[in-house]
Amino acid sequence: MSARFERFHYLFRSTKGLVLMAISLISLITAIWGTLSGPMVEWGIRDITVRVLGMELLPAQREGRIIMLYHVIAMAVVAIEVYFITSIVPMKKHQQSTINATITFGYITAMIFGLWFGYFGHNFVFHGLFLLGQSMVFFAGVLLAAALWPWKKEYYVTDKEYAHTKKGVDLERVAFFVMTVATLGSAIFGAVTGSYWGNGHETFLAEDLIRETHKTPLQLAIIGHLHIMLTLVAVAITLIVGRWLDFKGAFHKIAMYLMIIGTIVITLGVWSVVPYQAIAHKIIYVG
């Protein structure tokens, strides 16, 4: 019993355990759902997977299924980044525990019921639970932003080797905070557009529209949401690696200003792609 408790504690309370569990779930999904496409179809492996697991794969619903699938995986990736951030960026212990617990519950709930809804019959109770999971992930982001608030004196820089303002505000912490707020805003950007699904908005994959010269505002918003979320995931990884490797010195001071300004500019550029498409990409390129 003690060994089971220790294993449970490791998987759900420690940073390494939480990261390991999320990576394992992503790997499991990749291994199973990877049999549904590519050469696996020609070799008949997809049919075996569908029969064994009882999947329902109607061709007309392909785009919707794929969207559910990559949202499920993306939320697990975001959860991994959050675990690292709460581990390496100073914050109160209870904040770390609350954030980790909230996002863990959220992404696992979204993962289970999102895939269940998308691939095993469309029970809309499961879709509601998928949205609940997404909402919990978003709420964890709000908690993270609050915990990262950089203008608390207890988090001011004492080692002058790290980027800071004249008053001592930690610019690396500001960069983490800006990235988190930008991610929350960009999630809302996609969610508002998603609320029009079935009400003037048809399901599509971004790659299907590459050669189309005219795109509707809803299509532009979804494409923008996709690209800014991927960008902010990359920004988060960059900040995490820099913190992990104890990046400091003159280049650190330059880099943090660039990270903060670049994140703000590119985010605003993407958000403006619907009303100001003509200049939006110029803003994005600057960012």
Side-chain angles (χ1 to χ4, degrees):
M1 193 67 179
S2 177
R4 290 182 180 179
F5 178 78
E6 288 179 5
R7 181 59 59 87
F8 179 86
H9 187 278
Y10 174 75
L11 288 176
F12 288 94
R13 296 293 299 276
S14 70
T15 300
K16 289 182 179 179
L18 288 166
V19 170
L20 176 63
M21 182 172 63
I23 292 175
S24 299
L25 290 173
I26 293 172
S27 301
L28 181 63
I29 290 171
T30 303
I32 295 173
W33 269 260
T35 64
L36 302 180
S37 60
M40 301 298 180
V41 178
E42 301 170 6
W43 297 343
I45 295 176
R46 183 185 69 173
D47 295 335
I48 296 173
T49 301
V50 170
R51 284 198 303 270
V52 170
L53 298 180
M55 292 182 174
E56 297 180 13
L57 304 182
L58 298 179
Q61 299 170 348
R62 174 179 174 271
E63 289 82 1
R65 289 195 302 270
I66 293 174
I67 290 170
M68 296 287 281
L69 178 60
Y70 67 57
H71 272 84
V72 161
I73 294 174
M75 282 184 286
V77 171
V78 169
I80 292 171
E81 292 186 327
V82 170
Y83 298 144
F84 282 127
I85 292 171
T86 59
S87 173
I88 62 180
V89 179
M91 63 182 63
K92 293 180 173 59
K93 193 67 178 177
H94 73 86
Q95 290 177 317
Q96 180 186 13
S97 299
T98 303
I99 293 166
N100 287 351
T102 304
I103 199 166
T104 300
F105 176 82
Y107 93 80
I108 291 178
T109 300
M111 181 177 286
I112 292 171
F113 293 104
L115 293 176
W116 201 336
F117 174 81
Y119 288 85
F120 300 96
H122 303 320
N123 185 327
F124 277 85
V125 172
F126 296 157
H127 190 273
L129 291 169
F130 168 71
L131 294 178
L132 171 65
Q134 285 188 308
S135 300
M136 294 299 292
V137 171
F138 183 87
F139 182 59
V142 174
L143 295 175
L144 179 63
L148 290 173
W149 182 257
W151 290 278
K152 293 180 180 178
K153 290 188 177 180
E154 60 190 293
Y155 299 126
Y156 278 16
V157 169
T158 55
D159 187 343
K160 302 305 179 182
E161 282 292 300
Y162 297 97
H164 60 280
T165 65
K166 290 182 179 179
K167 292 185 178 180
V169 176
D170 184 351
L171 289 178
E172 188 174 57
R173 193 180 188 91
V174 173
F176 274 107
F177 175 77
V178 168
M179 176 275 300
T180 302
V181 172
T183 303
L184 291 170
S186 299
I188 294 173
F189 182 52
V192 170
T193 312
S195 68
Y196 285 89
W197 233 269
N199 184 23
H201 183 50
E202 296 182 1
T203 303
F204 69 94
L205 298 178
E207 55 265 32
D208 296 337
L209 302 179
I210 291 176
R211 299 185 185 279
E212 292 190 17
T213 55
H214 176 73
K215 299 178 180 64
T216 67
L218 290 173
Q219 289 172 337
L220 288 171
I222 288 296
I223 294 169
H225 166 71
L226 166 65
H227 285 88
I228 190 58
M229 295 304 283
L230 290 173
T231 300
L232 292 170
V233 165
V235 170
I237 292 172
T238 304
L239 290 170
I240 290 167
V241 171
R243 183 84 181 190
W244 193 282
L245 298 176
D246 196 25
F247 182 32
K248 58 184 176 181
F251 285 122
H252 183 262
K253 295 173 183 178
I254 297 171
M256 289 307 107
Y257 278 109
L258 293 175
M259 289 293 286
I260 294 166
I261 296 170
T263 301
I264 293 172
V265 171
I266 197 170
T267 302
L268 293 177
V270 172
W271 292 356
S272 66
V273 75
V274 176
Y276 305 111
Q277 184 185 2
I279 63 168
H281 271 87
K282 294 181 177 65
I283 300 172
I284 292 168
Y285 295 150
V286 172

